[in-house]
Amino acid sequence: MKTEKHREGVVYLEKFTSRKDRRPEPGLDETPDGLSVWVGRFLELAVVGVRSRTVAEKAALHLGRFLEFFEEAYGHDRVSTVVRRDVQEWQRSLVKQELAPSTVNNHLASLSAFTTWVDTQAPGLFPAGDPAKGIKELRLPPLEPRALSESQVRSLKNVCDRLKRFHGLKGREWKKDGGGSPAHARGRPVRDRAIVFVLLCTGLRREEVVTLDLGQVEPNEPDGLRTARRVRVRGVKGKGGTERNVFLSKDARDALAEYLEIERPKDAGEATGSEALFLSAAGTPARRADGRLSVRAVNLLLERIGRWHDAEVTDPDRRISPLRPHDLRHTFAYRLAAETGKDAYELERRLGHGSQRYIQRYTNPPEEVAAGYVEQF
């Protein structure tokens, strides 16, 4: 599902790079004194086709926002009047909009790339030199750990083992029967349990989970999953075109075997040649032709499980809502760090992440553990 920010970036990119006529472009020295024109030339010559489509859309979004800010402030978009003060004021306006510091820094980076390019192509166009040069990025806040504690993981698994009851139909007729109610038509408790257990033991991102294919799991038959001592998920596609292999725990193997045996066959029957591992329920409105589960669906099912979990606990420190996919990724990373002695290479390899800043964030202990350290002094 495309986000509002993504759609806004697409609109800006089309606005800046589309041309009503296809006459040869004038040289840069003949480019009119307009921010919108220069932004368009920058995107066409230095971004589109050079960087990825995603990067181009983000750059267009950020520069479009600066253009709107500048036009609102001065009533024109003459690039020859842009000075350092304008960039600083724009940075402050982004902060006032309560954007995250990292988001503000990304906006500034896009503008800096643009102004550097313009200053190189047309020296002297800016009245006081590159207006973004030397402007410091915002200091990023400390990275907060989001790993679940041992007790939280234990109670989460307990709830997952009882998901069928949570998905059961409610009503007097089912209560009278006493034999347990069937699940909602589109409820998939077995699938949801398998997803939670796979996330806990692999640290996969939500996008990586929904793009998994059944053929990537070795072995991928229910009996093989139950009897195998090691099950590998090969070729997981991560960020930056990376790939890695991950392994499934005993809990995940058993949960996945049950899903492949009970729920996936009936959902795969209505999907057109689906190779996806996790499928949305048959009959779901706006279901994809191949039945592949969406990222939003993963978010929603985890949030729901988190609410069910918290409804049963009285200790505020045991609560996990809102439960998010990255919480389970952090939990896996923290446990992996403990098992490997924080081996940097192994963490990068299993998490598919090269940033040491985020590796450190993933491996920070839960607050319950961190608070316990001081008791030893």
Side-chain angles (χ1 to χ4, degrees), residues 118-144:
V118 172
D119 196 44
T120 301
Q121 302 298 324
L125 181 60
F126 292 122
D130 184 348
K133 186 176 182 179
I135 295 181
K136 294 182 179 180
E137 293 185 338
L138 299 182
R139 185 185 298 274
L140 298 178
L143 295 173
E144 295 294 332

Side-chain angles (χ1 to χ4, degrees), residues 61-74:
L61 171 65
H62 300 161
L63 295 175
R65 287 174 174 172
F66 177 73
L67 175 60
E68 289 179 351
F69 164 82
F70 192 84
E71 288 180 331
E72 183 177 345
Y74 297 106

Side-chain angles (χ1 to χ4, degrees), residues 44 54 63 93 143 152-154 178 180 205 215 223 225 239 246 251 259 261 286 288 308 316 326 335 339 356:
E44 289 176 345
T54 301
L63 295 175
S93 74
L143 295 173
Q152 288 173 323
V153 171
R154 184 168 57 252
R205 301 177 178 91
D223 290 341
L225 285 167
K239 290 184 177 180
V246 297
D251 281 343
Y259 167 61
E261 198 170 56
R288 299 178 183 178
W308 287 335
H326 246 56
R335 289 187 165 189
E339 291 293 328
Q356 282 301 311

Side-chain angles (χ1 to χ4, degrees), residues 111-260:
L111 182 61
S112 179
F114 166 68
T115 57
T116 299
W117 181 83
V118 172
D119 196 44
T120 301
Q121 302 298 324
L125 181 60
F126 292 122
D130 184 348
K133 186 176 182 179
I135 295 181
K136 294 182 179 180
E137 293 185 338
L138 299 182
R139 185 185 298 274
L140 298 178
L143 295 173
E144 295 294 332
R146 287 164 52 182
L148 303 183
S149 66
E150 290 285 347
S151 59
Q152 288 173 323
V153 171
R154 184 168 57 252
S155 55
L156 172 61
K157 286 186 174 183
N158 179 281
V159 169
C160 288
D161 289 340
R162 297 181 287 117
L163 280 183
K164 292 180 183 179
R165 180 172 297 180
F166 288 99
H167 280 272
L169 292 170
K170 306 296 189 294
R172 293 180 180 177
E173 64 272 25
W174 304 115
K175 291 181 179 179
K176 289 179 181 178
D177 183 49
S181 61
H184 285 275
R186 291 196 288 271
R188 294 295 181 266
V190 180
R191 179 203 63 193
D192 296 352
R193 176 174 178 260
I195 289 175
V196 171
F197 286 179
V198 167
L199 288 171
L200 273 172
C201 74
T202 61
L204 295 181
R205 301 177 178 91
R206 57 185 183 175
E207 295 86 355
E208 295 169 344
V209 170
V210 299
T211 56
L212 286 179
D213 290 335
L214 179 61
Q216 291 176 254
V217 183
E218 300 174 342
N220 58 20
E221 297 294 333
D223 290 341
L225 285 167
R226 291 191 177 98
T227 59
R229 297 178 64 88
R230 186 182 73 172
V231 172
R232 180 179 69 165
V233 182
R234 59 174 175 79
V236 176
K237 293 179 173 58
K239 290 184 177 180
T242 60
E243 286 192 9
R244 68 187 188 280
N245 298 329
V246 297
F247 300 92
L248 301 182
S249 66
K250 180 68 165 61
D251 281 343
R253 297 196 297 268
D254 290 344
L256 190 58
E258 187 179 6
Y259 167 61
L260 295 180

Side-chain angles (χ1 to χ4, degrees), residues 258-277:
E258 187 179 6
Y259 167 61
L260 295 180
E261 198 170 56
I262 297 175
E263 290 182 352
R264 191 181 184 279
K266 58 185 177 184
D267 292 330
E270 295 190 13
T272 306
S274 179
E275 298 179 352
L277 175 59

Side-chain angles (χ1 to χ4, degrees), residues 334-365:
Y334 171 66
R335 289 187 165 189
L336 181 64
E339 291 293 328
T340 62
K342 296 188 178 181
D343 185 292
Y345 173 72
E346 186 66 12
L347 288 167
E348 289 180 14
R349 189 159 68 112
R350 296 302 173 200
L351 291 171
H353 213 310
S355 169
Q356 282 301 311
R357 174 177 170 81
Y358 283 93
I359 290 292
Q360 291 171 5
R361 179 186 187 184
Y362 291 147
T363 54
N364 279 341

